[in-house]
Amino acid sequence: SNRALTPIKARGLGADVGEMWRLAQSMGIVQQSLYDPIASICAAPWRIEAPALSPIFRTPEAEAVRQKHLRYCQWIWADWTSRGREDRGLVGYLGDVLRFALTCGFYLGELTGYFRSVTLDDGASFQTVLLPNPPRLRAPWSVDQWIWQGPDPLTGMVGIKQRALQQIDSKGQTGGYPFVPWRKLVHVPFFPISGNPDGTSLLRSSWAPLKMLQKFLQISALSAEVNGVGFISVHQDPQNPFTEADQ
């Protein structure tokens, strides 16, 4: 009801991003084309480093804060890169960003975290701090509306209205459109034309030929099946015609 906020239906440029995902998942040539660069990026030896302080801020106090913050980041890094995580940690997050941004036009993840007692200084004192999890994937096709304030969606975004049909309310009914504030979201668009938060799918220009190839493969498989099995044919001898019972 706030007129200063501008809601716009998602699915920019007139396509359902879920259709792009289904196309990519159903065709091996598309999966293989996307897999090679994604695998190279995810398999790279990622590491965390402390940047050097600017000479303007190079003071003992600033160095102490820098070391404490580095220690905090190292705790997060160790958690995200540990083996045996169900969400595959950092590698899973990078894979989701690349797959969904390239295929659907944008990636969307929600920030979550948990409190834990950690040592951020060299001493034995423990502090209870909030450690973030890798962003939780929010399917692009579940975004119903983008809501922003001002002329530019990407700089004035307020949040999204998410379609959550699996959500159960207090009456036991499913449905609902929860609002997720923008500060809790990680948004990675691919080629956002004119600030469109939906971005542009890498498959958009290939949509028509890929659908044609998919149809051709279906017809080709059906033709091979028909020609391989063959038909039963019966020829009538002109000199000895069939009776009605034979026909």
Side-chain angles (χ1 to χ4, degrees), residues 9 35 53 97 152 156 171 181 218:
K9 282 286 184 182
Y35 175 79
L53 281 174
V97 170
D152 188 1
K171 298 180 180 179
Q218 293 172 353

Side-chain angles (χ1 to χ4, degrees), residues 53 59-70 120-121:
L53 281 174
T59 64
E61 294 80 8
E63 181 63 28
V65 173
R66 173 178 173 271
Q67 289 298 328
K68 187 173 182 179
H69 185 66
L70 174 62
L120 297 181
D121 299 311

Side-chain angles (χ1 to χ4, degrees), residues 162-170 172-178:
Q162 186 182 20
R163 188 182 311 169
L165 301 182
Q166 74 280 5
Q167 181 174 307
I168 301 177
D169 59 18
S170 58
Q173 299 176 346
T174 59
Y177 294 87

